Amino acid sequence: MDTVLTLDPALPKRRGVEEAIRRAVETGSLAVGARLPSARDLAEDLGVARGTVVSAVDDLVAEGLLEARPRSGVFVAREAGAGVVPVPTVPAPPPRLDLRPGRPESGSFPATRWAAAMRRAVAGLPAEPDDDGAGSARLRSELAAYLARARGVQAAPDSIVVTSGYRSAVAVLAMSLRKRGAGHVAIEDPALPGSDTAWRALGWRVTDLPVDARGARTDALDLTMDVAVLTPAHQFPLGGALDAQRRRDAVQWARRASGLIVEDDYDGEFRFDRRPVAALQRADPERVVYVGSASKTLDTRLRLGWLVVPHELVAPVRHATLALTGGVPLLDQLALAELIGSGDIERHIRRQRREYARRREYLQDAAAAVGLALPGIPAGLQAVIPLRDGLGPTADQDGVVRAGGLVTHALQRYTRSLTRPPALVVGFSTPSRAAFEPAIDALLGAIGAAPLPHGETPPAGRPVTAPPRPPRAGS
């Protein structure tokens, strides 16, 4: 291989591959228009798994640094610095009290059961490839049954395409639809950072879709739009749900506009006060593309996701998946299929649902005790805490809040153009069980809302506290 890439040992392997490619582009070793070596060659030279290289390249394609051309390969699309926020090569030390959203509980990954599932997958490895571009037939069959049970999704195995995570799913979908002439997408604001990246990189016009207490403002969808990206079950990050009338309105819009709804069901299994509402996809499987992943149920590093697509999109999405990513590592797919088929994943989700429900209730009661209220429904892995009277630590330019050993995010991190009152987005699922309550104590102290001793008069301008904080678990 002519281009020499070197990994930074301080970085995780996938991130290291990304940074090695970026450095090669910055230094000119890979010029604009140059063809990247094959994933197999890169993996061999860097000493990593091919799947690691595929995932890293997939992210850089979604970012717009690289371009995948069907039957030709992957090419450098632009210079590394053009329109890209520089990424530090040395990661910051891990925080002592981590309340960043979007992560399952630290240490909760069912490693023993995953290892057993992987052993069974290896033992039963098919003699011939079990993947035609849509993913393992075994996994797609298990997913179809699981999604019907857990989320009410109407899916045949043939309508499912397995991807290497949510971003990969969106990238292949955006590419497939762009080739069919679509070009205008509405995306919720606020939303996950980078939720618009793949669409913009592929030439889509992006319109910010406002969100209020009833969910996405579906009345803002118009007939010029081809796609609407929604989080109906649990809006990220505000925490509400799309109400029944707006769910109906969204489907009616898709039918009138001959458009598609992309349903991001990132944590739909985690509703605490009732059985989760069925996925929006059930209302019209030919107008709603369902996107799910294992990142919130198992681990963000697993990088396994799936699309449930209308029949007319199955072939284009399969083709785009092969062109952009080369597919998803088969053993990981088969291990997930084993985990679903054995019932282990549903038992794991039930355990985590109980734990996250306990945590949200603790956070809600602790916040109420100092006069703060959590908007949204009791669900998910994060909650918004509105700030009042200028209270709270300041965020850096990336919307990250650090106070002592505590780190969390400001709501501004998730907004693109629509202004919001100041608030924190707190990942109550993230800490280990031992660190959770100390993290909440530190959080309330950091926003200037530590509970007052019994009988003390609040300072001027501060509301009287609610009843005392709940006791710690086990006390």
Side-chain angles (χ1 to χ4, degrees):
M1 189 177 75
D2 296 329
T3 303
V4 178
L5 302 180
T6 56
L7 288 182
D8 183 340
L11 295 175
K13 288 183 179 179
R14 182 183 61 79
R15 173 81 174 278
V17 174
E18 288 185 26
E19 292 306 308
I21 294 172
R22 282 197 182 92
R23 284 197 301 272
V25 175
E26 289 169 354
T27 60
S29 297
L30 283 171
V32 175
R35 184 180 185 276
L36 229 64
S38 70
R40 189 186 306 278
D41 288 344
L42 282 174
E44 183 176 341
D45 275 40
L46 295 173
V48 299
R50 179 179 176 274
T52 301
V53 173
V54 168
S55 295
V57 169
D58 174 37
D59 281 354
L60 293 174
V61 168
E63 181 182 296
L65 180 65
L66 304 179
E67 176 190 4
R69 301 175 188 170
R71 296 183 294 279
S72 298
V74 179
F75 296 80
V76 178
R78 54 169 170 73
E79 295 178 0
V84 179
V85 177
V87 178
T89 57
V90 180
R96 183 173 59 86
L97 299 171
D98 191 349
L99 288 170
R100 290 174 294 180
R103 297 167 170 82
E105 177 193 358
S106 176
S108 67
F109 180 71
T112 301
R113 295 185 183 280
W114 179 261
M118 184 64 79
R119 287 194 296 271
R120 294 195 299 270
V122 171
L125 197 64
E128 296 297 326
D130 180 32
D131 190 339
D132 59 0
S136 158
R138 164 88 190 281
L139 176 57
R140 288 186 283 119
S141 178
E142 294 287 1
L143 279 172
Y146 167 73
L147 292 174
R149 291 193 304 271
R151 301 296 297 120
V153 171
Q154 293 186 4
D158 287 347
S159 67
I160 297 175
V161 178
V162 180
T163 68
S164 55
Y166 174 79
R167 292 182 186 274
S168 170
V170 169
V172 299
L173 183 63
M175 179 179 178
S176 303
L177 296 174
R178 191 77 177 115
K179 287 185 174 180
R180 295 164 68 90
H184 187 182
V185 59
I187 302 177
E188 293 176 341
D189 186 350
L192 188 72
S195 57
D196 58 334
T197 300
W199 302 95
R200 293 187 192 277
L202 290 163
W204 285 72
R205 174 189 171 195
V206 176
T207 294
D208 295 333
L209 187 63
V211 178
D212 61 23
R214 297 171 56 207
R217 287 274 309 278
T218 52
D219 59 309
L221 297 173
D222 64 48
L223 299 183
T224 71
M225 298 169 180
D226 302 297
V227 175
V229 182
L230 306 178
T231 51
H234 188 223
Q235 206 280 331
F236 185 92
L238 296 183
L242 190 63
D243 79 5
Q245 184 58 54
R246 289 188 180 180
R247 288 168 69 97
R248 290 191 290 269
D249 290 346
V251 173
Q252 288 301 318
W253 163 81
R255 291 169 178 167
R256 289 196 307 271
S258 297
L260 284 175
I261 297 167
V262 176
E263 179 177 15
D264 178 5
D265 198 39
Y266 72 100
D267 66 358
E269 295 95 339
F270 296 114
R271 181 74 185 255
F272 310 138
D273 61 336
R274 52 170 290 177
R275 183 177 178 84
V277 175
L280 184 63
Q281 186 265 2
R282 187 181 182 89
D284 193 335
E286 294 304 307
R287 287 293 167 198
V288 182
V289 176
Y290 179 90
V291 189
S293 80
S295 65
K296 302 301 183 287
T297 53
L298 292 173
D299 196 285
T300 56
R301 296 165 294 186
L302 195 53
R303 301 191 65 77
L304 276 172
W306 43 87
L307 288 160
V308 180
V309 296
H311 290 96
E312 66 175 2
L313 286 178
V314 171
V317 170
R318 286 184 181 186
H319 179 76
T321 300
L322 287 173
L324 281 174
T325 70
V328 180
L330 179 59
L331 279 179
D332 286 350
Q333 295 186 60
L334 294 176
L336 181 58
E338 290 282 346
L339 212 64
I340 297 172
S342 67
D344 282 341
I345 195 166
E346 287 171 270
R347 285 186 284 272
H348 172 75
I349 288 171
R350 285 195 294 270
R351 286 192 298 270
Q352 293 308 115
R353 186 186 294 126
R354 289 192 295 269
E355 174 64 15
Y356 296 157
R358 180 190 75 83
R359 292 184 181 209
R360 192 185 192 280
E361 183 177 8
Y362 184 93
L363 175 60
Q364 179 172 302
D365 290 347
V370 295
L372 299 173
L374 307 186
I377 60 174
L381 284 71
Q382 85 287 331
V384 170
I385 297 185
L387 300 177
R388 61 166 190 263
D389 301 330
L391 290 177
T394 58
D396 64 20
Q397 63 179 2
D398 296 320
V400 179
V401 175
R402 294 182 176 86
L406 174 74
V407 62
T408 188
H409 288 167
L411 182 57
Q412 72 189 55
R413 178 180 175 87
Y414 301 97
T415 60
R416 292 185 301 274
S417 65
L418 306 176
T419 58
R420 296 273 173 183
L424 299 179
V425 182
V426 177
F428 58 78
S429 66
T430 307
S432 66
R433 299 188 186 192
F436 170 68
E437 290 177 16
I440 299 305
D441 291 343
L443 172 71
L444 293 177
I447 63 179
L452 297 171
H454 181 69
E456 182 176 322
T457 303
R462 178 174 170 179
V464 177
T465 60
R469 288 275 302 282
R472 292 183 184 277
S475 62

